[in-house]
Amino acid sequence: MSVRLWTSDEIALATKGTASESFEASGVTFDSREVGPGDLFLALKGEATDGHRFLDQAFAQGAAGAVVSQATTHPHVFVADTTAALNALGIAARGRSSAKVIGVTGSVGKTGTKEALFAALDRSDPGCAHRSVKSYNNHTGVPLSLARMPRDTRFGVFEMGMNHAGELAQLTRLVRPHVAIVTTIAPAHMGFFASEAAIADAKGEIFQGLEPGGTAIIPFDSPHRERLIAAARPYAARIITFGMGEGADFRAVEMMRTRTGGTFVTARFDGRELSFTLSQSGEHWVSNAMAILAAVDAVGADLELAGLALAEMGGLAGRGARLLVPVGDGEALVIDESYNANPASMRATLAVLAHEPGRKLAVLGEMRELGAHSDAFHAELSGPVEAAGVDQVILVGEAMAPLAQALEGRVDFVHVPDAATARARLESVLAPGDAVLIKGSNGVRLSTLVAALAERAPA
């Protein structure tokens, strides 16, 4: 059953627009391809296209109404600027909500943490949690995610991203979180920052939007911990640290790898202990699980049910999903990390591959937006590749040349220009029992390679 999200009168009031007629919307989107029955379609104008061109398509797919800045015969709310109207809808949604709101940012792990946190809160209070979908974490994705939040939501989880200073400060003031999490600081988007410390400063902007009495959750093991604490102190009533090191408020004190590739974890916090099985692989997931538990505790949700949710979570496409694909008379394991990559996430996922049985293969796409540091960051991956015991590496993209040079004579590798060539190479060498890690920046399009392998898998 669809739930009324917005009436035309509410939309007009929030956006200072004029409604052509009465209608009710049960969803919101600005992508005409996503429009379904009952949705509100926002006709945004961008550099490449104009949403007004797709009004007929949106209503053919069942749109209930639209927000427009040009004349149309379809049911609509007319505004001066549709992008400003999207922002206004997000602000109105946040303003009418009594939900406990959690904001998540970081260089690595923010989408996985957001999804796991949503699963934990939904398990605690079924049907009453809301989160931003996909990686809708920018200046249009965040207000859209807010605008989609049902009015009776009890817990809202919103991912926020940035690649320039000042962007997160704007987003967090829209979200107004009660709890703000920074996962990991890493040299992502180094092409836009002078140093990793500058990235930490930009991520620390998330605390500026905290509601009075709010909680900041900070990685204890980060070299930028004190910098983040200093950024949080003017805005947070409470600062909580998480991680693996002694002294973290939420700390993983025991870890044991399970036969299915997950981790059995014992967490200690506030004089209490909680043991649970984490379905995801890798120490980075264990650390992020501590942040998740800290946030669940901060909003008063059930920690034991959160532990069950973490055990039940499936792999996320492009972010650790595991596929068994037929090869010859057997199967190969594919670890799908194709959505994005930076030096820290590359190291973390190579460490996961190291624990897999059988022959280890890696398809590694170039890491983008690293600026003048790109060559050095790529070359430095030679150590983690070798430490993981990788038997053969397929390097994809021009920026991988420094890594190819560093691996010469140390690890069997081939350097190819694109995902299509990588696919042909992988399929020529893939054998039963292999474990394959596929990871690279999204623009390398290694997801197409994963999709091709997934087509082999039985339904």
Side-chain angles (χ1 to χ4, degrees):
M1 286 179 59
S2 61
V3 177
R4 188 189 76 186
L5 193 59
W6 294 99
T7 68
S8 51
D9 286 344
E10 289 169 339
I11 297 164
L13 180 64
T15 63
K16 296 183 171 58
T18 304
S20 64
E21 58 190 88
S22 293
F23 59 86
E24 294 184 355
S26 55
V28 183
T29 186
F30 51 64
D31 187 337
S32 61
R33 297 166 295 184
E34 295 181 355
V35 173
D39 281 350
L40 175 70
F41 174 61
L42 289 115
L44 302 188
K45 291 183 176 181
E47 293 180 5
T49 190
D50 183 344
H52 294 87
R53 293 170 47 202
F54 304 101
L55 283 167
D56 289 344
Q57 175 186 333
F59 280 91
Q61 292 170 199
V67 175
V68 300
S69 58
Q70 296 176 11
T72 180
T73 58
H74 296 295
H76 66 272
V77 172
F78 188 89
V79 298
D81 183 322
T82 52
T83 299
L86 170 61
N87 228 43
L89 269 185
I91 291 169
R94 179 66 184 88
R96 73 185 182 185
S97 177
S98 59
K100 291 292 186 181
V101 174
I102 302 168
V104 182
T105 194
S107 304
V108 184
K110 55 184 176 292
T111 300
T113 297
K114 177 257 298 180
E115 291 292 329
L117 187 50
F118 167 78
L121 295 170
D122 188 59
R123 184 67 186 261
S124 179
D125 203 339
C128 294
H130 170 79
R131 92 294 205 182
S132 47
V133 298
K134 301 180 183 177
S135 290
Y136 282 4
N137 61 20
N138 64 5
H139 66 287
T140 54
V142 168
L144 176 68
S145 299
L146 285 166
R148 289 173 164 176
M149 181 166 58
R151 64 192 76 218
D152 59 351
T153 296
R154 288 200 59 204
F155 302 110
V157 188
F158 298 92
E159 177 181 340
M160 288 175 266
M162 62 88 208
N163 55 23
H164 290 86
E167 291 177 343
L168 213 51
Q170 296 177 15
L171 296 178
T172 191
R173 289 187 173 101
L174 287 178
V175 174
R176 290 167 40 212
H178 297 94
V179 177
I181 302 171
V182 176
T183 57
T184 300
I185 303 298
H189 311 301
M190 277 295 285
F192 306 115
F193 291 93
S195 65
E196 194 172 286
I199 294 174
D201 290 340
K203 295 296 184 184
E205 292 172 12
I206 193 173
F207 305 125
Q208 296 177 21
L210 276 170
E211 289 286 89
T215 300
I217 299 178
I218 287 169
F220 179 84
D221 304 310
S222 172
H224 308 289
R225 179 182 71 213
E226 295 306 320
R227 200 176 196 95
L228 290 169
I229 289 173
R233 194 169 284 122
Y235 307 99
R238 186 164 58 141
I239 297 174
I240 297 173
T241 60
F242 69 91
M244 325 284 271
E246 188 171 353
D249 297 316
F250 277 70
R251 182 187 174 207
V253 293
E254 292 180 357
M255 297 177 292
M256 183 173 66
R257 182 178 167 81
T258 68
R259 286 183 296 177
T260 57
T263 310
F264 182 77
V265 183
T266 298
R268 185 174 295 157
F269 50 92
D270 194 26
R272 296 172 283 169
E273 284 193 356
L274 177 69
S275 294
F276 61 97
T277 298
L278 177 62
S279 62
Q280 311 298 323
S281 300
E283 285 193 7
H284 58 299
W285 261 106
V286 175
S287 180
N288 287 342
M290 298 303 101
I292 292 160
L293 294 181
V296 168
D297 191 54
V299 298
D302 192 307
L303 282 165
E304 291 187 357
L305 289 178
L308 289 175
L310 291 172
E312 295 167 353
M313 260 194 77
L316 303 175
R319 296 180 174 88
R322 290 173 165 239
L323 312 171
L324 288 174
V325 301
V327 181
D329 58 357
E331 293 178 317
L333 170 67
V334 175
I335 304 171
D336 175 17
E337 287 278 355
S338 61
Y339 183 76
N340 219 337
N342 59 47
S345 64
M346 279 285 199
R347 288 193 297 271
T349 50
L350 283 164
V352 169
L353 179 64
H355 293 287
E356 299 300 333
R359 191 172 65 139
K360 299 172 182 59
L361 309 180
V363 182
L364 304 181
E366 63 186 20
M367 303 176 292
R368 297 184 174 176
E369 296 187 353
L370 295 179
H373 307 272
S374 179
D375 285 358
F377 282 130
H378 282 88
E380 287 166 3
L381 290 179
S382 62
V385 168
E386 198 168 11
V390 180
D391 295 287
Q392 186 174 122
V393 188
I394 301 172
L395 305 175
V396 188
E398 183 179 350
M400 276 295 187
L403 178 55
Q405 185 175 0
L407 291 176
E408 193 73 50
R410 298 165 61 186
V411 176
D412 183 20
F413 74 90
V414 61
H415 187 192
V416 301
D418 52 41
T421 313
R423 172 185 171 183
R425 175 67 182 185
L426 178 63
E427 291 187 337
S428 73
V429 299
L430 196 59
D434 286 350
V436 187
L437 169 65
I438 301 176
K439 186 167 184 64
S441 285
N442 197 34
V444 185
R445 303 188 70 241
L446 292 183
S447 58
T448 60
L449 193 162
V450 175
L453 292 170
E455 288 178 0
R456 296 180 174 206

